[in-house]
Structure formats: structure tokens, C-alpha cells
Amino acid sequence: MTDLLRVHNVSKRFERLQAVDNVSLIVPAGQIVGLIGPNGSGKSTLFALLSGSQRAESGRIEFDGHDITHRSPDQIFQLGLVRSYQDPALFTRMTVLDNVLLPVKDQLGENPGLAPLHRIWRKQERDIASAAGALLDRVMLRRHYKTLASDLSGGQMKLLQLGRSLNGSARMLLLDEPTAGVAPKLARDIFHLVEALRREQGLTFLIIEHRLDVLFDFVDDVYVMHAGRVVAQGTAADIAANAQVREIYFGD
Ligand SMILES: Nc1ncnc2c1ncn2[C@@H]1O[C@H](COP(=O)(O)OP(=O)(O)OP(=O)(O)O)[C@@H](O)[C@H]1O
Ligand SMILES: [Mg+2]
């Protein structure tokens, strides 16, 4: 099994707060790995370092053999490492369909030199539209394709966000609380979708989640953060039984 993501001793400080403190973790290709920890433990900041929106001040991040520690968010996205945000980063005044069409890479019609050559890009546009339809089917939103993103329910917004992350040659998704604010049944559906995407498209996942009851049914491996550090790693069963984790996480 090859490691798709390797994080070595990465740190990030905000003034006097050590938000991420010497964190190392590995995500093998094709796995679903959970990242848990109390509020403010540094999980989202770690995602910001992985996706390039914040710079690590020390350590090294490798994705698919590339050193991405100092790459831009766009370069990291192009390599196929795609982050979804804790607050849905949707274009709320656009339709569901436009939201999934937006991240498509390398559209020929956008190249000014090729724009006049309709015949070349018309087929590509048709292919993109049909892929977008399939994608909306996959995230259970096809019948809402004309709906404005702002009119979706919380759970539907999460699904749309997941759909948007998929549409860009993604190889690995960083999902930040994909079920936050979502009804319990839909929370499970979202994880079933993650599992299906892994199976069908070979995607790899690192998922921040507070709903441990759901997360633990789907993950291969779990990392626990506390005060910026990784304090435990193991299977869901290991983590559920870990006394230190129970103390910091569940307060027993
Ligand atoms: N841009 C920033 N500037 C200053 N402090 C920040 C910044 N981003 C995060 N922090 C602080 O860093 C710490 C870690 O925050 P982070 O958002 O990574 O936690 P988290 O584990 O994702 O928490 P939650 O579960 O609540 O989402 C917090 O104390 C937070 O206030
Ligand atoms: Mg967070």
C-alpha cells in the first residue's frame, strides 16, 4: 500500500498560540482516515496547511511523492488534493448545477485562442454537462439542479460541497466536518457516499468529524489531536478504548 499523504513534524503558530505542534501523520492511498479532537485542537488549521492556504513554519508535507510544503493552494489542488471547508464554501447565488460546473479544469472554451473553434469545445462542453449530471446523481441532487444553493437544506449544502470537491480530478479529499448540522440519517448517507466514492473512484479521504458514532463505522484509521498535537492513532476500536483519548475527548 502506497502512502498518498505524508506529513512530517509540521507546526503552525498564531502569535502566542501553537495551533499545530509538530504533527506527523500518514494517509495510505485508498483509505478513509478520521481526524478527531476537541474544539480548537488544530484540526482545521492542519487542513489549511495541507491545502496551502496557510504556510507551515516547519516540517514537510508530501502528496503523491511531491513536496507540497511550500506550494500554492492552486498547485496543490491541481495535484488532486482537494479541501472542503467547515462552512460550506458555496456560491450561494448560483444554481446547484453552476456550483458543480465551476471547478472544472482546463475548459477549452476558456482558452482565448480556442474560443472561436466551436466544434472543438462544443463536444467537451457536452461531456462536461453530462458529467455534471452524473455527479449530481451521485450526490442525490439532480432534481435540484436549478435550485439556488442558498435555498438548499444544510444537508443538501454538504452534499453539494462534496460534489464540488469531486469535480476537478480529485484524488484525495480533505473533508472538514462533512456532517455538521445535518440530520442523523443524512449524516450516515454522506458517509455511505464517501465509501462509494472510495470504491468506485479510488478516492482517498482524510475526514475531520465530531460525530464519532458515525465516523467510527467507516474509517480505517483515526488520529486524535489535542492542543495542536497528535496524541493518539489507531483503529476506531483502539481509539474508542484509549483511556487518554476518553479523558481529553469525552471528559471521563
Ligand atoms: N487564522 C487564525 N488566526 C489566529 N488564530 C487562529 C486562526 N485559525 C485558528 N486559530 C486558532 O487556532 C486554534 C485551532 O483552531 P482550529 O480551527 O484549527 O481548531 P479545530 O480543531 O478545527 O476546532 P473545531 O473543532 O472547533 O473546528 C484555535 O484556538 C483557533 O482560535
Ligand atoms: Mg475546525
Side-chain angles (χ1 to χ4, degrees):
M1 202 163 30
T2 49
D3 297 333
L4 191 55
L5 179 72
R6 291 168 182 263
V7 178
H8 300 281
N9 301 110
V10 161
S11 294
K12 175 72 187 177
R13 170 179 286 279
F14 295 116
E15 299 182 352
R16 292 169 62 193
L17 178 80
Q18 192 67 51
V20 172
D21 190 0
N22 218 24
V23 164
S24 297
L25 60 80
I26 282 177
V27 181
Q31 285 208 347
I32 300 172
V33 174
L35 179 61
I36 68 169
N39 292 122
S41 54
K43 306 178 300 294
S44 295
T45 304
L46 179 63
F47 271 21
L49 301 179
L50 300 179
S51 63
S53 60
Q54 297 270 2
R55 287 288 163 98
E57 60 230 11
S58 57
R60 179 181 166 92
I61 304 167
E62 278 172 42
F63 179 69
D64 195 25
H66 302 273
D67 180 351
I68 59 165
T69 322
H70 302 293
R71 300 238 183 143
S72 68
D74 188 52
Q75 289 172 322
I76 293 170
F77 177 85
Q78 298 291 335
L79 287 173
L81 180 58
V82 177
R83 175 190 185 191
S84 84
Y85 288 83
Q86 196 164 349
D87 301 314
L90 298 171
F91 294 91
T92 49
R93 299 176 69 176
M94 288 169 50
T95 64
V96 164
L97 179 62
D98 287 338
N99 264 280
V100 297
L101 287 174
L102 204 63
V104 176
K105 291 197 271 183
D106 302 328
Q107 290 186 40
L108 297 174
E110 287 174 4
N111 175 330
L114 293 175
L117 305 173
H118 285 235
R119 249 181 314 181
I120 294 179
W121 54 261
R122 206 180 298 136
K123 174 174 182 325
Q124 191 195 34
E125 282 205 334
R126 255 201 320 270
D127 292 347
I128 289 169
S130 101
L135 184 70
L136 289 178
D137 268 341
R138 199 73 205 77
V139 296
M140 302 171 270
L141 288 175
R142 189 195 269 264
R143 67 197 175 86
H144 299 288
Y145 77 100
K146 277 185 176 164
T147 305
L148 285 180
S150 54
D151 292 337
L152 296 175
S153 72
Q156 289 170 334
M157 283 192 189
K158 289 290 191 182
L159 287 167
L160 178 55
Q161 204 189 359
L162 195 53
R164 286 194 59 201
S165 326
L166 292 175
N167 200 344
S169 326
R171 301 186 53 211
M172 174 166 178
L173 302 190
L174 304 171
L175 305 183
D176 197 342
E177 301 191 27
T179 76
V182 168
K185 159 83 172 69
L186 188 53
R188 252 171 209 283
D189 288 346
I190 288 174
F191 271 90
H192 281 298
L193 177 59
V194 163
E195 214 171 37
L197 292 169
R198 184 245 300 259
R199 193 174 55 243
E200 293 164 8
Q201 301 185 20
L203 289 173
T204 302
F205 291 86
L206 181 61
I207 306 179
I208 296 174
E209 184 56 68
H210 284 294
R211 269 197 180 138
L212 305 189
D213 57 330
V214 179
L215 181 80
F216 282 3
D217 287 343
F218 294 89
V219 284
D220 298 296
D221 200 16
V222 179
Y223 285 84
V224 185
M225 285 184 75
H226 180 49
R229 292 169 176 265
V230 169
V231 294
Q233 182 228 334
T235 62
D238 293 338
I239 296 302
N242 180 309
Q244 188 199 2
V245 172
R246 295 189 69 91
E247 190 182 323
I248 60 150
Y249 203 83
F250 308 102
D252 11 290

